[in-house]
Amino acid sequence: MEAAAAAGEVAAAGIWRRRAGVAGAAIGVVAAGAAAGVALERLTVGRGVRRKARLALDASAPYGALRGTPGTASADDGTVLHYETEDPDGPAGASRAGRPTVVFSHGYCLSQDSWHFQRSALRGLVRGVYWDQRSHGRSGRGAGPVSIDRLGRDLKAVIDAAAPEGPLVLVGHSMGGMTVMALVDQYPELVRDRVAGVAFVGTSSGRLAELTYGLPTVPAQAVRRVLPGVLRALGTRAELVERGRRATADLFAGLVKRYSFGSRDVDPVVARFAERMIEATPIDVVADFYPAFAEHDKADALAVLAEAGVPVLALAGERDVVTPRSHTEAIAALLPDAELVLVPDGGHLVMLEHPEAVTARLRELLVRAGALAPDAAGAATGSG
């Protein structure tokens, strides 16, 4: 969800100011901190040097290159959904038969590659399914209005294609967690019959219209009021916006860092990796998805998990300003038996920022759910 704020803020940063008008001025408040840092950097580092630095980071980054066995699922509206499977290997593979398949759902403006560290740590240990949500990553562009319920049906289509039988562990980050809630809400029988564990990472069960993006109340209200309209306008000028993204690459990078991470010393290669994923999402996709979040309300669906006794991990970064920790605490409050974990200095992309902490907690959930043997759990680390 950080890309929605970033897109609106970049619009207010100058290149589309005439089009954004008063709306752009309001959203510009959000960009002020990042813009100040970029301005300081420009006093000491030339644009060519900064561009070369980004290219060097792209060339050296080992992240996002993990690939599994590809497959496709067809959504109920015909959209082609791309997924990849990772199967257990080694001599112990046969003994892993019957253990749950772990299905990872990524967040808004990201892709399956956002699970890079967890995927690396769990390779060969569990059967994993990693998929790209519609209009993201390698999946096809969806037509018509987007809703969280539709995303839940998309997840069901992926499960039907990639893991039609056997127990499941569902892992979702941000929009991916909402997707899992929509699946639970629409297919409660699937939860009762097959779901052995759920992990919600930096997500929310609703009330997203109250988000402040880390701003004081009045500017936050202005941003919430004008951002949907600004995004719609920008979505109709996609080519212009993409040129603007390139022209304001430094500001965009600062905004991504501000809204993705909670610590100051995040690895520059990781930060650039996140930036590449977000900037790969077309602005019209950003605009198409954003209204769905204000409508999202799946608090009641969590009762299905409680009634089924499904082990749940609710994890968030303490400094997440996109879906604040209070939203994860609210999920845990509705699931009294859930494990609540708040990662110090963690932002919205906590699984990239603090991979060891996230993977360790996820590993514990997988052991409880029967997807990972206790004696093999120690082999799963967050680095890679």
Side-chain angles (χ1 to χ4, degrees), residues 219-239:
Q221 290 174 341
V223 170
R224 288 199 301 268
R225 185 170 59 253
V226 303
L227 186 54
V230 170
L231 287 175
R232 284 195 301 272
L234 295 177
T236 65
R237 299 294 185 93
E239 183 178 350

Side-chain angles (χ1 to χ4, degrees), residues 107-264:
Y108 182 40
C109 299
L110 298 171
S111 72
Q112 64 175 269
D113 292 338
S114 62
W115 297 108
H116 173 89
F117 291 106
Q118 291 69 43
R119 185 171 186 168
S120 176
L122 296 171
R123 280 192 128 181
L125 298 176
V126 301
R127 183 171 194 270
V129 174
Y130 303 83
W131 70 292
D132 292 319
Q133 302 243 30
R134 62 172 53 224
S135 304
H136 291 69
R138 294 172 174 80
S139 284
R141 290 291 296 267
V146 179
S147 68
I148 302 299
D149 282 341
R150 175 172 289 283
L151 302 184
R153 295 195 298 274
D154 287 352
L155 175 55
K156 178 62 162 56
V158 170
I159 290 172
D160 288 345
E165 298 178 345
L168 302 164
V169 175
L170 306 175
V171 182
H173 167 249
S174 191
M175 182 179 76
M178 302 174 205
T179 300
V180 171
M181 294 178 202
L183 175 84
V184 169
D185 188 37
Q186 296 174 93
Y187 304 98
E189 70 284 353
L190 178 70
V191 175
R192 290 190 291 267
D193 296 342
R194 298 185 58 193
V195 175
V198 172
F200 295 120
V201 180
T203 190
S204 173
S205 60
R207 305 185 69 173
L208 289 167
E210 301 174 3
L211 290 178
T212 66
Y213 302 113
L215 292 172
T217 302
V218 174
Q221 290 174 341
V223 170
R224 288 199 301 268
R225 185 170 59 253
V226 303
L227 186 54
V230 170
L231 287 175
R232 284 195 301 272
L234 295 177
T236 65
R237 299 294 185 93
E239 183 178 350
L240 175 65
V241 173
E242 298 309 327
R243 289 203 303 267
R245 274 184 177 181
R246 294 190 292 270
T248 57
D250 298 325
L251 178 57
F252 185 77
L255 292 168
V256 170
K257 187 173 182 180
R258 164 76 175 88
Y259 284 98
S260 297
F261 306 107
S263 52
R264 294 182 178 180

Side-chain angles (χ1 to χ4, degrees), residues 271-296:
R272 176 58 186 159
F273 173 49
E275 181 188 342
R276 290 205 325 271
M277 278 191 288
I278 294 170
E279 69 185 7
T281 308
I283 188 64
D284 49 338
V285 173
V286 177
D288 287 345
F289 274 68
Y290 186 75
F293 300 116
E295 301 170 359
H296 169 63

Side-chain angles (χ1 to χ4, degrees), residues 86-90 92-93 95-97 99-102 118-128 130 359 363 366 370-381:
E86 302 264 6
D87 289 310
D89 54 22
S95 66
R96 298 187 178 105
R99 289 186 183 167
T101 296
V102 189
Q118 291 69 43
R119 185 171 186 168
S120 176
L122 296 171
R123 280 192 128 181
L125 298 176
V126 301
R127 183 171 194 270
Y130 303 83
T359 303
R363 183 177 67 229
L366 295 180
L372 192 64
D375 57 350
T381 64

Side-chain angles (χ1 to χ4, degrees), residues 21-98:
V22 175
I27 297 173
V29 175
V30 190
V38 169
L40 179 61
E41 180 189 19
R42 284 178 172 171
L43 293 175
T44 56
V45 183
R47 175 179 290 181
V49 173
R50 294 194 303 273
R51 181 174 180 276
K52 289 180 179 178
R54 285 194 296 272
L55 291 174
L57 289 174
D58 291 346
S60 64
Y63 310 130
L66 299 178
R67 300 269 68 89
T69 302
T72 59
S74 180
D76 59 11
D77 65 349
T79 301
V80 177
L81 306 170
H82 175 85
Y83 67 83
E84 296 174 12
T85 57
E86 302 264 6
D87 289 310
D89 54 22
S95 66
R96 298 187 178 105

